[in-house]
Amino acid sequence: MQIHSTIFSLRAARNVVGCSAGRVALVPTMGNLHDGHIALMTQARAHADTVIATIFVNRLQFRPGEDFEAYPRTFETDCARLEAAGVSHLFAPDEAEMYPQPQGYHIEPPAAQAGILDGEFRPGHFRGVATVVMKLFQIVQPDVALFGKKDYQQLMVIRNLVREFNVPVEILGGETIRAPDGLALSSRNGYLSESERSEAPRLYRLLSELVDAVRAGSRDFQLLEQRAFAALKDHGWMPDYVALRKKLDLQLPSVHESGLVVLAAARLGSTRLIDNLEV
Ligand code: PAF
């Protein structure tokens, strides 16, 4: 695996691939890779001749007081895992390479998509994500790019970004990978204490119960959301939201709507976990 820390070096390698008419897949990450990321790399290999992974902890998508500084940086282990997963190129720039001057231009996703759910609790987050992802698209010029469905709203924002800016990139979503007890894999799981880690799968269990209830015909969505929210609180969580939404645009569904997803975000101790399940 070739490791590139500059745009110049990455572009030179990208041009070589371009000359041999190979299809290029991009898998952007912030590092601290787990099996969910590796599954995306494997999926990428099935769709392209060359996989380019990126590791960059993007300051723009963190709010003051969030975990930008604490975000685990595990570069050596990440490289070994990417190499084993058959990734050919890693682009791992530092901040001066990605943001040589303060970023003046930003991609501002519409509030209807980026001001709801996670965007309500992390204002500006999706602006930071959309801006860095657009930069990565310009730098790497991939044919296809992969993002995990665990960040469901992020995936929707990126799909819309690509459509509205006519970016010639196919976007693919990767299924959420879970621990045997159901907890969705996340770099932030490493923040959990032992007792929090054993409590954490409750989020998945409650979402599963809610999905079962909807599948069984329950249509009082608000009541289902409130029950799951209250159950989290009863067990010491601080939930931000539990929300049943339309899969396509994450807007409120009407009672007889199909194609739903339930999404939740909640804090367990100081760790904020998110998860979702398609109905
Ligand atoms: O999902 C992530 O890890 C990040 O939001 C991404 C897409 C790499 C952008 O920084």
Side-chain angles (χ1 to χ4, degrees):
M1 181 175 77
Q2 290 178 32
I3 301 175
H4 310 273
S5 57
T6 65
I7 295 169
F8 182 83
S9 159
L10 187 275
R11 282 228 172 105
R14 171 68 183 89
N15 287 341
V16 172
V17 179
C19 289
S20 62
R23 204 170 137 81
V24 171
L26 165 68
V27 188
T29 81
M30 298 203 300
N32 194 232
L33 304 180
H34 50 67
D35 287 353
H37 294 111
I38 301 306
L40 283 179
M41 306 296 160
T42 309
Q43 192 181 346
R45 282 186 65 193
H47 285 86
D49 306 291
T50 301
V51 178
I52 302 181
T54 70
I55 295 181
F56 180 66
V57 185
N58 173 39
R59 187 188 289 274
L60 284 193
Q61 68 190 71
F62 291 81
R63 283 175 53 76
E66 288 189 346
D67 57 343
F68 172 74
E69 312 290 349
Y71 203 85
R73 278 122 171 127
T74 51
F75 190 69
E76 302 300 323
T77 334
D78 290 347
C79 286
R81 295 209 69 180
L82 291 173
E83 180 112 48
V87 170
S88 346
H89 297 272
L90 169 63
F91 177 52
D94 63 11
E95 281 203 283
E97 184 68 10
M98 279 301 268
Y99 300 120
Q101 67 255 344
Q103 185 74 16
Y105 288 77
H106 293 90
I107 301 284
E108 187 74 66
Q113 289 161 27
I116 59 169
L117 304 169
D118 247 45
E120 186 185 334
F121 293 91
R122 303 183 72 190
H125 169 67
F126 291 110
R127 175 193 212 238
V129 169
T131 302
V132 80
V133 167
M134 186 60 124
K135 278 174 82 93
L136 290 171
F137 286 160
Q138 304 307 316
I139 294 166
V140 177
Q141 304 194 352
D143 300 292
V144 54
L146 293 92
F147 299 86
K149 280 196 194 175
K150 172 161 172 292
D151 295 300
Y152 208 87
Q153 191 174 3
Q154 168 173 284
L155 179 59
M156 177 199 67
V157 166
I158 292 168
R159 280 192 198 285
N160 290 332
L161 164 82
V162 161
R163 191 170 49 240
E164 291 201 10
F165 280 101
N166 309 91
V167 184
V169 180
E170 183 188 352
I171 303 297
L172 296 176
E175 294 305 324
T176 300
I177 306 296
R178 298 181 180 280
D181 60 10
L183 178 66
L185 297 192
S186 160
S187 300
R188 292 191 168 98
N189 292 351
Y191 299 151
L192 298 169
S193 68
E194 211 175 306
S195 63
E196 288 166 349
R197 175 62 190 81
S198 55
E199 169 62 20
R202 186 180 308 279
L203 186 59
Y204 168 71
R205 286 200 301 273
L206 286 169
L207 293 186
S208 305
E209 282 167 25
L210 197 153
V211 165
D212 290 345
V214 175
R215 285 192 182 143
S218 183
R219 291 281 125 183
D220 192 341
F221 297 157
Q222 252 189 332
L223 182 68
L224 294 174
E225 291 168 355
Q226 281 163 7
R227 272 196 197 142
F229 192 97
L232 286 169
K233 276 183 93 170
D234 288 348
H235 289 89
W237 297 65
M238 283 173 293
D240 283 345
Y241 60 86
V242 177
L244 253 167
R245 294 297 170 102
K246 294 195 275 185
K247 266 200 265 193
L248 210 59
D249 56 10
L250 299 184
Q251 302 304 305
L252 286 170
S254 60
V255 181
H256 296 295
E257 198 101 31
S258 57
L260 304 180
V261 56
V262 59
L263 310 103
R267 211 169 285 276
L268 187 53
S270 56
T271 307
R272 187 172 184 276
L273 299 177
I274 62 169
D275 201 354
N276 65 78
L277 279 179
E278 290 176 333
V279 179

